[in-house]
Amino acid sequence: MEKNMKKILAAAALVLVAVTSFTFVADKAASPATYSHIVEAIDAKVDTVLKLTASSALASAGVSAIPGDTATPIAEKLAEFTEYFLIVLCVLYSEKFLLTIGGAAAFRVIIPIACLLLGASLFCRKDLIRRLGMKFIICSIILYLAVPMSIRVSDIIYSSCEDTINTTITQTQSLTEKTDEFSMTNEDETAMASVWERISETAGTLADKAARILNRFVETLAIFIVTSCVIPVLTMVFFLWVIKVFANIDSRQTIIKLLPESGRRKTSESSSQ
């Protein structure tokens, strides 16, 4: 009687944990306010990507106005960066969404299921069900931590390269200011004469500077790809590997344990053959 009472109390505690996880904890884990610092870091990256997108578009327009054909390929390549940065922007917004989705899935779905499995193992005495419930709990914790940890790791690398990104924006703005005079449509003859006197001296210099800016954009895009795409993916793969280590259950052994004794003998005989 006392043993049954302990099982009932343990089952009641598990039900309480499941209900608490499904309601209160899941609401907190799915709230963006819980990840305010991470969201702020992502928003800062989003602002930087938007600045880079605008800078590449303006730089492309300015470089295309430089006299001669030397700068034309550079202008075309700079224009392509708007598409690349759009992909990075989508990845950053996806990270924001996954923050809340991972927490909601862990505490609203997986942990309640784990509690139900652990509660069922108290009465049916199935060690397999108990181990499955424990592995569900481990999976939920890893799922909850995977996205925040991947973003934290990428932020550490991004912070060391932030000066390079800011330098790219500053130099692009400087180049755009210098190429604006080639795009002028003012018909004032004096102003136009002054500009054309400087063309032979400055066109080649600006083309060289535009080539350096292009290299800067390539480097900046590589930084964003590594910090916003590669590092989070590698971190997620690592966590998935950990989940596989802790939660992988051999399907053949599971079927054998669930079969009756006669079925186990037949399965063992077929596998030996």
Side-chain angles (χ1 to χ4, degrees), residues 55 57-67 172-186 192 195 198 202 206:
S55 298
L58 292 174
S60 175
V63 171
S64 63
I66 297 176
T172 304
Q173 291 175 347
S174 175
L175 175 65
T176 303
E177 292 173 358
K178 292 181 179 180
T179 55
D180 281 345
E181 59 187 15
F182 291 110
S183 303
M184 65 186 302
T185 57
N186 190 353
M192 291 297 295
V195 171
R198 296 170 54 193
T202 59
L206 288 177

Side-chain angles (χ1 to χ4, degrees), residues 77-147:
K77 290 295 183 181
L78 287 172
E80 293 177 1
F81 277 95
T82 57
E83 300 177 2
Y84 301 146
F85 285 124
L86 178 61
I87 296 173
V88 174
L89 195 65
C90 293
V91 172
L92 291 174
Y93 277 114
S94 298
E95 290 178 354
K96 291 179 68 174
F97 298 146
L98 288 174
L99 275 174
T100 56
I101 292 174
F107 292 101
R108 200 179 296 276
V109 179
I110 300 178
I111 285 189
I113 292 175
C115 291
L116 292 177
L117 290 172
L118 292 175
S121 68
L122 294 173
F123 298 97
C124 65
R125 295 182 180 180
K126 286 285 186 179
D127 185 60
L128 178 64
I129 297 177
R130 181 184 62 80
R131 286 189 285 112
L132 185 61
M134 293 300 298
K135 289 174 181 179
F136 262 91
I137 292 177
I138 294 172
C139 290
S140 66
I141 295 173
I142 293 175
L143 178 62
Y144 175 66
L145 295 177
V147 177

Side-chain angles (χ1 to χ4, degrees), residues 135 138-143 145-146 234-249:
K135 289 174 181 179
I138 294 172
C139 290
S140 66
I141 295 173
I142 293 175
L143 178 62
L145 295 177
L234 290 178
T235 308
M236 292 291 291
V237 169
F238 170 75
F239 277 110
L240 289 175
W241 175 80
V242 173
I243 290 176
K244 183 179 180 181
V245 169
F246 281 97
N248 185 34
I249 299 175

Side-chain angles (χ1 to χ4, degrees), residues 148-207:
M149 288 297 294
S150 65
I151 296 175
R152 287 294 188 186
V153 173
S154 66
D155 285 343
I156 294 173
I157 300 175
Y158 177 82
S159 61
S160 63
C161 305
E162 198 167 1
D163 291 339
T164 301
I165 297 172
N166 293 332
T167 302
T168 301
I169 296 174
T170 302
Q171 291 183 357
T172 304
Q173 291 175 347
S174 175
L175 175 65
T176 303
E177 292 173 358
K178 292 181 179 180
T179 55
D180 281 345
E181 59 187 15
F182 291 110
S183 303
M184 65 186 302
T185 57
N186 190 353
E187 296 182 356
D188 181 53
E189 295 182 358
T190 304
M192 291 297 295
S194 176
V195 171
W196 285 104
E197 286 176 1
R198 296 170 54 193
I199 284 179
S200 58
E201 300 177 2
T202 59
T205 303
L206 288 177

